Amino acid sequence: MHACMADWRGRHGQGGGIKASPGTPPQLKRAKQQPNPTAQTDMATYRWRGRLPHLHRLEYTKNQAFADSQIKEMRGLQLPLSQTQRIRLQRAFEKLQSLSSKVNSDASVTVADTIPVNYEDAFLKGHGTTDLNGELVATVCGVVERINKLVYVRGLRARYKPEVGDIVVGRCSEAVEINFSQDAILMLSSMNMPDGIQRRRTALDELNMRGIFEENDVVCAEVRNFQHDGSLQLQARSQKYGKLEKGQLLIIDPYLVKKSKLHFHHLEQFGIDLILGRNGFIWVGEHVETRDSMVVDQANSFQQSMVLEEKDLAHTPLEMRQNICRIANAVRVLSTLGFSIDADLIMETVELSSSLKIDIHDMLGSEFHVLVAEREAERRSLMGKRRR
Amino acid sequence: MEFVSPEGLRLDGRRPLEMRQLRAEIGTVAKANGSAVLEMGNTKVIAAVYGPREVQNRSQIINDQALVRCEYSMANFSTGDRMRKPKGDRRSTEISLVIRQTMEACILTHLMPRSQIDIFVQVLQADGGTRSACINAATLALADAGIPMRDIVTSCSAGYLNSTPLLDLNYIEDSAGGPDVTVGILPKLDKVTLLQMDAKLPVDIFENVMGLAIEGCKAVVNYIREDHQFKH
């Protein structure tokens, strides 16, 4: 007794007419103090019905400076592309894929696939695997990775997996929401007081906490440790952490932000701070003077704090806001195309856009996406040639 | 009424042991952590998975496991006559419960304690076998979301009309009043997670029909795996 199957055909993004569903405005969240008139609130991203996510070719470039980057082959790339644009985009992606070192396609697994392992060697079972009747079986869809004796499956679309020492950006609700399976906890005692003085936190501080943090504020912190029940504790112990103001919060996929030495970037020419949270929350905001509280003496600090207060109340100039928007859009474009985010790439994209005199809201249009993809393909091929 | 013609063709031209055409797409709902649209013939279903995330209702936190919630609803326009109450009616509540239990059996909930996984399934077009389509779509959405699972759950239905076991009933065959057996399996573990039947069947024929439905489930698994292997 057998069932016959009719033919299975995966669906292709159809040419010509685009299924323009008025998309959700892409994860655009702003800090409270910043009503930004130049930002487009209605950035509709048209989504192109994509293919299964874990089918994307994974790139492992030997050069760690570029880290791992994963090309989303048209997954979630919903743009109203004309025919020529689509061809150019495809060509750029193909070029990028051909440049990457080939990944063994056997390494990709789906749920409940057996992982090929030499059972005689001692090996450690890592994330995403489980033991089934003596066989090693995958529990998520992804790619099998082996490091020394550890075998694990790296899922492509999983939520953020925090590690101690990671820098994350989060939004305050009852605890801090950081795109993890639970909200993280930021204790008052693990934070610097706004006046920089180190003292014991009293009950009065607890009551006054609302003066420092309110609901929906954005904070930047570091992962301190895991509790035994799996929840996360954060700390914000130096001046560079803490509440973030005057800027935009962007949400992208966590795997696009790789672990690097530097997560705080100060873009001098724009006077803008860029914080790449490992959980996929990116903060783009006006630069805030952070100074070491130890160095500053009393008289000075009083004066400076006065100046700061005035600055706080001061209106952010239009040009600053435009710069913030431009950078934020660059990040959005890169994340839509599936390139991993780092500061250099963002700067290049921003320069590209300003050199071509593209309007800020045009940056989210399809033409710019295609341009960025092409340029990235060129850049990688140049890197490849230079290496040889 | 004749559901199987003398030549052996059903009302829609299929053979008794033939399934309807399957089509699936993943990643269709941008906001969700995982999503899938699945079509089995004319039945079209969309599933969205959110999670694992913080439990919204504090009283429901389970300290050592994830909480799995499921909601099944039918769009107003999904059936021939416009539906009055898309969710909250008894059938929807029952199917929500069934899907939740099925998915909970395969998700490794102990890996995500104190969190919540939401599965929302909505039927866009109903032409019989909505339960099965929902379970298949939910599986794909969970895989898309990267939630660790023991195995892929697939489901298929089968019936018995005109003394012939029929695979994958559509709406007309379903409303004929004959038995309708829905089976959900974990193919790798070779276990049954869902078994439902309405109407009556003698036991030996029931074995046949259930075996047929299991074959249908395996066909769905093949489709899913094949589609996964597709674009490397």
Side-chain angles (χ1 to χ4, degrees):
Chain A
M1 200 185 297
H2 42 259
C4 321
M5 286 174 265
D7 61 325
W8 319 128
R9 270 174 286 129
R11 182 173 292 186
H12 255 277
Q14 299 301 321
I18 308 293
K19 293 151 187 105
S21 43
T24 52
Q27 309 95 7
L28 173 70
K29 295 201 173 120
R30 301 198 196 98
K32 262 203 227 162
Q33 286 91 341
Q34 194 59 296
N36 204 327
T38 54
Q40 288 287 90
T41 42
D42 262 331
M43 291 176 261
T45 46
Y46 300 102
R47 295 246 149 201
W48 194 354
R49 301 275 180 76
R51 298 182 169 178
L52 300 172
H54 30 266
L55 311 176
H56 312 304
R57 188 77 59 82
L58 297 173
E59 302 185 354
Y60 293 101
T61 54
K62 300 270 162 65
N63 190 349
Q64 268 307 333
F66 295 109
D68 297 347
S69 70
Q70 299 163 350
I71 305 285
K72 290 190 217 182
E73 201 171 66
M74 298 167 220
R75 196 239 162 169
L77 193 65
Q78 298 167 345
L79 295 166
L81 296 175
S82 69
Q83 197 61 22
T84 38
Q85 285 177 332
R86 185 167 301 131
I87 295 178
R88 284 162 61 197
L89 193 62
Q90 248 177 333
R91 224 180 279 150
F93 276 138
E94 276 159 27
K95 210 168 165 190
L96 283 163
Q97 281 187 354
S98 62
L99 288 169
S100 64
S101 44
K102 299 284 180 279
V103 159
N104 189 4
S105 62
D106 292 341
S108 309
V109 286
T110 48
V111 180
D113 272 350
T114 334
I115 300 178
V117 152
N118 191 351
Y119 288 104
E120 275 144 26
D121 297 337
F123 60 89
L124 295 171
K125 297 191 275 279
H127 284 303
T129 63
T130 188
D131 204 6
L132 183 67
N133 303 333
E135 281 186 338
L136 197 63
V137 151
T139 54
V140 288
C141 301
V143 176
V144 178
E145 299 212 22
R146 297 162 215 266
I147 300 181
N148 295 337
K149 289 211 179 340
L150 177 67
V151 178
Y152 68 100
V153 179
R154 184 162 64 100
L156 286 190
R157 275 261 297 178
R159 290 203 124 197
Y160 165 55
K161 276 203 175 51
E163 296 161 20
V164 177
D166 270 354
I167 299 189
V168 292
V169 174
R171 187 177 281 278
C172 290
S173 54
E174 193 175 314
V176 181
E177 184 209 327
I178 59 165
N179 201 21
F180 182 50
S181 62
Q182 300 170 43
D183 286 347
I185 302 186
L186 177 61
M187 313 261 285
L188 203 57
S189 54
S190 14
M191 274 206 41
N192 272 351
M193 298 298 292
D195 39 7
I197 308 174
Q198 308 273 21
R199 56 184 169 84
R200 219 186 160 86
R201 319 280 186 245
T202 62
L204 199 60
D205 284 324
E206 260 180 60
L207 294 173
N208 289 338
M209 191 155 74
R210 196 160 261 279
I212 313 172
F213 286 122
E214 275 196 343
E215 261 93 21
N216 286 328
D217 275 348
V218 181
V219 256
C220 171
E222 192 185 353
V223 175
R224 186 180 176 188
N225 59 17
F226 285 96
Q227 303 278 47
H228 49 87
D229 61 4
S231 68
L232 214 53
Q233 263 213 344
L234 300 177
Q235 68 181 4
R237 276 208 174 282
S238 72
Q239 283 289 36
K240 58 182 182 179
Y241 298 131
K243 181 161 153 175
L244 299 173
E245 296 176 335
K246 296 178 181 304
Q248 279 189 23
L249 177 70
L250 303 167
I251 300 187
I252 61 173
D253 285 321
Y255 60 84
L256 294 173
V257 182
K258 301 299 166 189
K259 197 165 178 95
S260 74
K261 269 182 279 183
L262 214 54
H263 284 276
F264 294 92
H265 302 276
H266 174 43
L267 305 174
E268 247 117 67
Q269 52 193 127
F270 301 120
I272 283 181
D273 266 343
L274 178 69
I275 303 181
L276 304 172
R278 288 267 296 146
N279 55 341
F281 283 26
I282 310 266
W283 172 262
V284 183
E286 196 177 316
H287 180 60
V288 171
E289 276 302 317
T290 57
R291 54 211 198 297
D292 212 337
S293 53
M294 308 293 231
V295 180
V296 166
D297 60 289
Q298 281 291 65
N300 241 352
S301 74
F302 183 67
Q303 268 181 354
Q304 283 198 7
S305 61
M306 280 292 287
V307 171
L308 267 182
E309 265 178 48
E310 284 171 19
K311 248 190 171 174
D312 274 347
L313 302 170
H315 209 48
T316 326
L318 180 63
E319 204 190 303
M320 175 69 66
R321 297 194 200 182
Q322 283 181 331
N323 287 334
I324 293 181
C325 259
R326 197 173 274 277
I327 296 180
N329 280 354
V331 174
R332 285 191 190 97
V333 168
L334 290 172
S335 81
T336 321
L337 290 171
F339 299 140
S340 54
I341 308 281
D342 64 17
D344 301 325
L345 201 53
I346 298 177
M347 284 309 297
E348 280 184 28
T349 319
V350 172
E351 268 149 37
L352 178 71
S353 74
S354 28
S355 66
L356 295 174
K357 303 255 184 305
I358 297 184
D359 240 342
I360 299 180
H361 54 266
D362 279 339
M363 279 173 77
L364 291 180
S366 30
E367 180 61 33
F368 188 62
H369 278 90
V370 177
L371 282 172
V372 169
E374 285 175 347
R375 192 190 39 95
E376 180 67 15
E378 275 174 42
R379 194 174 65 90
R380 298 250 184 102
S381 64
L382 280 177
M383 288 306 303
K385 283 190 203 134
R386 236 182 276 157
R387 255 182 272 148
R388 286 174 226 141
Chain B
M1 180 162 173
E2 210 183 62
F3 294 100
V4 184
S5 75
E7 295 91 37
L9 294 177
R10 288 150 80 171
L11 290 170
D12 51 4
R14 286 186 282 157
R15 299 256 159 220
L17 303 183
E18 214 178 305
M19 269 185 78
R20 294 178 289 182
Q21 187 186 56
L22 260 184
R23 252 208 206 144
E25 257 176 41
I26 291 201
T28 44
V29 177
K31 275 260 170 182
N33 293 114
S35 57
V37 171
L38 187 115
E39 293 179 44
M40 281 171 85
N42 283 331
T43 301
K44 187 163 173 174
V45 151
I46 185 166
V49 166
Y50 293 85
R53 56 180 179 178
E54 183 80 9
V55 182
Q56 252 110 43
N57 192 353
R58 288 281 155 166
S59 58
Q60 289 178 339
I61 285 193
I62 312 177
N63 277 330
D64 57 347
Q65 274 192 15
L67 177 72
V68 178
R69 283 176 58 234
C70 176
E71 201 172 282
Y72 165 95
S73 74
M74 300 184 76
N76 292 87
F77 46 82
S78 62
T79 53
D81 294 322
R82 191 179 173 81
M83 284 199 67
R84 281 302 189 76
K85 215 178 164 199
K87 46 181 165 175
D89 65 323
R90 302 231 303 226
R91 181 174 171 270
S92 300
T93 324
E94 189 227 335
I95 300 186
S96 306
L97 184 68
V98 161
I99 299 180
R100 187 183 74 77
Q101 287 177 338
T102 315
M103 304 325 292
E104 204 171 11
C106 78
I107 298 178
L108 293 168
T109 46
H110 60 269
L111 291 179
M112 299 163 287
R114 308 173 70 87
S115 63
Q116 166 178 312
I117 299 175
D118 287 318
I119 308 174
F120 296 103
V121 194
Q122 181 160 59
V123 178
L124 301 174
Q125 269 175 223
D127 186 26
T130 53
R131 207 172 302 223
S132 308
C134 287
I135 292 178
N136 294 332
T139 302
L140 286 174
L142 284 169
D144 185 31
I147 293 181
M149 298 195 281
R150 272 189 200 94
D151 198 354
I152 310 182
V153 190
T154 50
S155 161
C156 192
S157 64
Y160 187 75
L161 290 169
N162 287 150
S163 317
T164 333
L166 301 175
L167 179 61
D168 201 6
L169 302 174
N170 60 20
Y171 181 69
I172 311 175
E173 293 164 346
D174 205 355
S175 15
D180 175 17
V181 177
T182 308
V183 174
I185 61 168
L186 297 173
K188 186 89 185 224
L189 304 173
D190 217 7
K191 295 197 180 190
V192 174
T193 54
L194 168 68
L195 180 58
Q196 279 189 308
M197 179 171 93
D198 44 14
K200 294 194 277 194
L201 264 188
V203 167
D204 46 351
I205 302 182
F206 170 73
E207 273 186 45
N208 272 356
V209 173
M210 177 171 151
L212 182 58
I214 293 183
E215 293 292 320
C217 297
K218 295 194 179 147
V220 177
V221 175
N222 281 344
Y223 167 71
I224 290 179
R225 288 189 187 274
E226 218 178 284
D227 207 29
H228 278 359
Q229 303 303 339
F230 238 36
K231 301 108 198 165
H232 282 313

